[in-house]
Amino acid sequence: MDHIEYTPQGVCSRKIDIDVEDGIITKVKFSGGCAGNTQGVASLLVGMTVDDAIERLSGIRCGFKSTSCPDQLSKALLKYKGK
């Protein structure tokens, strides 16, 4: 199992922890951010492939920001894939 710790930029959450096993997301935890939204996103991602998560989350914006917590999670997964 791989563990990813990512520090998001331009959003309210301060850290994203992601566990991946065999290309499948097994756990996601946001530190900070909008609790209900980040818990919902985290719950929906469990069991999803890394590639599907990237495709679904990339480019999502939060209000007037150019990014969002889900978009930042996709950036964390892209970085993980490129390691």
Side-chain angles (χ1 to χ4, degrees), residues 6 8 12-17 28-34 38 69:
Y6 186 77
C12 299
S13 62
R14 298 177 308 278
K15 184 172 94 165
I16 307 171
D17 289 287
V28 177
K29 182 176 186 293
F30 288 86
S31 297
C34 303
T38 55
C69 291

Side-chain angles (χ1 to χ4, degrees), residues 15 18 22 25 28 30 34 38 45 59 62 67 70-71 77 79:
K15 184 172 94 165
I18 311 160
D22 298 325
I25 298 168
V28 177
F30 288 86
C34 303
T38 55
L45 290 174
C62 182
T67 189
D71 182 57
L77 293 172
K79 184 176 178 181

Side-chain angles (χ1 to χ4, degrees), residues 53-75:
I54 292 168
E55 183 179 328
R56 291 177 185 212
L57 302 177
S58 184
I60 292 175
R61 296 174 56 147
C62 182
F64 295 106
K65 297 177 183 178
S66 63
T67 189
S68 66
C69 291
D71 182 57
Q72 289 295 300
L73 194 145
S74 75
K75 293 180 184 321

